[in-house]
Amino acid sequence: MNAPNHSDQDTDAGVRNPGRRDFLKTTAIGAAAGAAGLGLHSGAALAQAESAGSMATSQGIIYADPENLSNNVPLSKVLEITEFLNAPENRVQIQFPSDKTQYAWVNMSRFYPTAQVRRDGPISELGYQIDPGIGEVSYQNQDGETLTVNSHFDTLPIDALIVVKGGNVLYERYRTMAPTDKHMLFSCSKITGSTLLAFLEQEGKIDVDRPVSDYVEELKGSVWDTVRLVEALDMATGLDGTEHDEPNGDSRTNPDQIWYRWAATQAVGVLGDVKQRNEQWYDVLRSMQRRKPAYEVFEYNSINTFVMNRTVERIADQPLNEQFSDRFWSKLGMEHDSYYMCAPNGFTLGFMGLNPTLRDFARFGMAFTPSSTKLAGERLVPQAILDKIQDMTHADMYGKGFVGKSKMLHFPNDPVIANRYQWDAVFPDGDFIKYGVGGQGLYISPATDTVVVWLCTSDGTNPEDTMARAIVQQLSQ
């Protein structure tokens, strides 16, 4: 595990960010870094990026105006933000959008220890066939208003968006980020561990029908003896201590809630232990109780992901970041290393803590599509795992919990949606989505070989998912 890293060097990708203080050059470095992945001449990219205004390369990438970059912050402000968010009583605020987290969510290594996810080999070149018409793709929000991709960028807090189809980038736009910025993914990180678990399951090393406590022995003798691993995977345990479905809806802000108490332990450390309980994670989880039968309601809970990731690490006897690198990040021709945030005790925070660049996260999404062969020379995610993700057996529970109910409002033309293996929305056509609580998202359409990634600093309620589905459906016509 590494100490917090402020240098942000990617020397293996041929890129070195010289301090992030000259923000015009940050954008320039973004273009130059893209040169390695796009086959551009870095000098030409640099010259283009140094022009004023909204910047687009000849490939049609739309770069952020320098004054809009989240890193366009003077040193005094950087130090103020760092001191504020690192104070235990303010730790809770790092999960919500603000002027401070606009900076923090692309600089999370200032606030947490990190574990690197290493890349390897040549950078995979993404083809560029920019389709300006994507900017005019329209959709209706839940209030019945019609927006386009362009108007979405003009009116809502979106940081960046990329659309890749058949291995070619059709749209790439940055509003507050440079291409080299590594953005906090929040819960989009969850599907890294669930995919690793699916591989271990395929290899016969994990039986998801066994109780969680068979793999996480600290929980033996508790209610977790009655929870199958697959129920945790599908956010359907029926236990209390949920993230969004408690009666008062304050799990992430009330220090007396089970979820907050778990998040404040040294095994997580994302919230401050403001009541100085000094609890162990397993004591908090052992206090949980059954509230309803499994698979009755889709009740979102990062605690489920936490026990899943401990299972994955223990069965493989390898930290999550190393497994993810070995199976994915080192095989897909990434431009940069990524990193996970880590807990004070060294646990990898796979339920929220992956921080990649926009393009590299799109490359990861391509691992679930036929274009995987263009990047890795093989289909990285086999059909057997896709079949598990696309299984809609328990769709009837989806709209009964907070997250499912809220997401269904974004898809009035899709009355049947499911969740599965930590993916938050699975559609009958085989497409699936993972969300981050702060407005991050990964949309994968294996049948149309399309991936859409969006990164935001928001409260996660805006309809980027509706927009992504509209884009995918428009491109498939």
Side-chain angles (χ1 to χ4, degrees):
M1 186 178 72
N2 300 327
N5 176 8
H6 309 313
S7 63
D8 193 21
Q9 295 182 9
D10 286 300
T11 54
D12 54 356
V15 177
R16 177 179 176 133
N17 189 321
R20 294 178 175 247
R21 291 173 56 190
D22 183 336
F23 301 105
L24 262 173
K25 290 193 175 179
T26 299
T27 305
I29 289 165
L38 313 180
L40 301 175
H41 186 276
S42 60
L46 185 66
Q48 288 171 334
E50 286 178 337
S51 63
S54 289
M55 290 160 288
T57 72
S58 58
Q59 280 66 31
I61 305 169
I62 304 173
Y63 291 103
D65 290 338
E67 61 269 23
N68 292 334
L69 288 168
S70 299
N71 276 308
N72 191 358
V73 178
L75 175 61
S76 60
K77 188 68 172 178
V78 170
L79 297 177
E80 176 190 327
I81 293 169
T82 303
E83 180 181 9
F84 180 86
L85 290 175
N86 276 323
E89 66 272 17
N90 298 328
R91 204 68 161 166
V92 66
Q93 296 192 38
I94 206 165
Q95 60 187 318
F96 301 115
S98 69
D99 60 340
K100 293 179 175 64
T101 53
Q102 184 75 56
Y103 172 83
W105 290 3
V106 290
N107 291 282
M108 291 303 288
S109 59
R110 279 193 170 273
F111 305 94
Y112 293 88
T114 63
Q116 296 302 296
V117 181
R118 56 180 170 76
R119 65 168 304 282
D120 197 12
I123 294 172
S124 59
E125 293 190 11
L126 298 176
Y128 269 70
Q129 297 180 4
I130 293 295
D131 180 359
I134 289 176
E136 297 304 322
V137 170
S138 63
Y139 71 92
Q140 280 195 333
N141 64 20
Q142 63 191 67
D143 295 324
E145 300 167 335
T146 298
L147 288 84
T148 65
V149 175
N150 287 336
S151 64
H152 192 108
F153 266 88
D154 291 341
T155 59
L156 293 170
I158 183 169
D159 299 329
L161 173 74
I162 190 169
V163 179
V164 186
K165 182 177 176 65
N168 295 308
V169 177
L170 304 187
Y171 189 85
E172 184 175 352
R173 182 171 178 178
Y174 300 89
R175 181 172 169 269
T176 66
M177 293 174 59
T180 49
D181 284 337
K182 296 174 182 178
H183 200 293
M184 170 75 153
L185 292 185
F186 283 102
S187 285
C188 281
S189 309
K190 286 180 168 66
I191 45 89
T192 64
S194 66
T195 307
L196 294 173
L197 188 145
F199 273 93
L200 294 172
E201 180 187 8
Q202 290 293 305
E203 295 163 0
K205 297 174 182 177
I206 285 179
D207 181 353
V208 298
D209 287 318
R210 288 174 59 183
V212 167
S213 57
D214 281 5
Y215 296 104
V216 186
E217 293 185 356
E218 295 94 331
L219 300 179
K220 280 192 175 295
S222 74
V223 71
W224 290 93
D225 291 340
T226 71
V227 177
R228 294 182 299 150
L229 187 57
V230 69
E231 294 160 7
L233 269 169
D234 290 346
M235 302 287 188
T237 65
L239 303 188
D240 63 358
T242 61
E243 195 162 339
H244 303 288
D245 292 279
E246 297 308 294
N248 293 331
D250 59 354
S251 294
R252 292 163 55 208
T253 56
N254 182 350
D256 293 324
Q257 289 279 16
I258 288 172
W259 195 94
Y260 189 108
R261 289 165 51 203
W262 160 76
T265 66
Q266 290 294 292
V268 185
V270 299
L271 298 179
D273 186 10
V274 294
K275 293 205 170 182
Q276 298 184 336
R277 289 188 170 100
N278 296 315
E279 292 181 287
Q280 298 293 329
W281 66 268
Y282 44 82
D283 289 331
V284 178
L285 269 59
R286 289 176 66 89
S287 73
M288 294 171 69
Q289 299 179 3
R290 180 165 296 285
R291 190 160 55 193
K292 58 178 67 72
Y295 284 111
E296 187 172 291
V297 180
F298 168 33
E299 292 180 313
Y300 201 88
N301 198 341
S302 293
I303 291 174
N304 295 328
T305 316
F306 178 85
V307 298
M308 175 195 76
N309 286 337
R310 302 291 76 77
T311 299
V312 169
E313 290 188 325
R314 293 175 183 189
I315 292 300
D317 194 23
Q318 190 179 26
L320 199 70
N321 62 301
E322 294 291 343
Q323 293 185 60
F324 188 52
S325 174
D326 289 346
R327 290 200 189 259
F328 288 100
W329 218 256
S330 64
K331 293 183 176 181
L332 287 164
M334 302 301 192
E335 293 177 50
H336 307 282
D337 291 348
S338 185
Y339 67 86
Y340 285 102
M341 294 150 46
C342 292
N345 78 342
F347 281 173
T348 310
L349 298 181
F351 71 92
M352 66 172 287
L354 187 65
N355 291 256
T357 64
L358 178 74
R359 275 200 293 262
D360 281 346
F361 195 44
R363 285 181 171 93
F364 169 66
M366 291 168 67
F368 296 82
T369 73
S371 290
S372 171
T373 58
K374 297 180 179 180
L375 304 184
E378 60 179 312
R379 186 72 182 263
L380 283 187
V381 178
Q383 187 60 46
I385 291 179
L386 289 177
D387 289 343
K388 286 185 176 293
I389 296 169
Q390 294 167 328
D391 178 5
M392 301 189 67
T393 300
H394 298 289
D396 60 325
M397 73 172 182
Y398 188 77
K400 298 178 182 179
F402 175 84
V403 170
K405 190 178 299 182
S406 64
K407 297 308 178 188
M408 290 191 80
L409 295 174
H410 290 195
F411 302 105
N413 297 323
D414 293 287
V416 179
I417 306 175
N419 66 289
R420 181 72 165 147
Y421 270 55
Q422 306 277 297
W423 292 88
D424 298 327
V426 181
F427 299 93
D429 59 11
D431 293 3
F432 42 94
I433 304 175
K434 184 62 193 175
Y435 297 96
V437 72
Q440 301 77 39
L442 172 61
Y443 186 113
I444 295 176
S445 177
T448 67
D449 198 6
T450 309
V451 172
V452 183
V453 175
W454 59 94
L455 301 172
C456 302
T457 305
S458 74
D459 62 5
T461 62
N462 295 320
E464 286 83 20
D465 52 353
T466 314
M467 178 173 68
R469 188 152 174 79
I471 291 169
V472 172
Q473 292 179 338
Q474 179 69 32
L475 291 174
S476 66
Q477 292 179 2

